[in-house]
Amino acid sequence: AYFDGNIYRYNTNTNTFGVFSNVASQTGDVFPGLSGIAVDAAQNRIYTSARESNRIYTIDGTTGQVLDTFSAGGNAPAGLTYHNNRLY
């Protein structure tokens, strides 16, 4: 998923694998370089870092819709973690 802007998911009930969210098509960030992912299960949010565009994307955990994007605050963010209501 690094270069294509897709987030994939595996469905254990059906043993299928497919695209859950296409960040590139939703944001116009054609070559985002997705590299990190963190989940806030309580809020049903997925966060992904984009190394090429230096952005963080907030994604709805049910629909795959990109809800927000913001600057990573540095160059080439490589990883994320979510702990105690904070994204690091």
Side-chain angles (χ1 to χ4, degrees):
Y2 178 77
F3 290 112
D4 65 6
N6 289 323
I7 295 176
Y8 297 90
R9 75 171 159 198
Y10 180 75
N11 185 324
T12 57
N13 294 325
T14 61
N15 290 324
T16 57
F17 180 75
V19 174
F20 171 67
S21 180
N22 185 294
V23 172
S25 69
Q26 292 184 57
T27 64
D29 189 357
V30 181
F31 196 63
L34 301 179
S35 58
I37 194 163
V39 176
D40 173 2
Q43 299 297 318
N44 198 27
R45 296 291 182 255
I46 299 167
Y47 301 94
T48 186
S49 57
R51 292 183 63 151
E52 300 299 320
S53 62
N54 300 317
R55 309 286 302 163
I56 305 293
Y57 295 102
T58 305
I59 299 165
D60 183 286
T62 301
T63 66
Q65 182 69 34
V66 175
L67 301 173
D68 192 17
T69 180
F70 53 92
S71 172
N75 290 325
L80 296 172
T81 189
Y82 190 86
H83 181 68
N84 288 336
N85 295 321
R86 295 196 76 169
L87 184 64
Y88 298 92

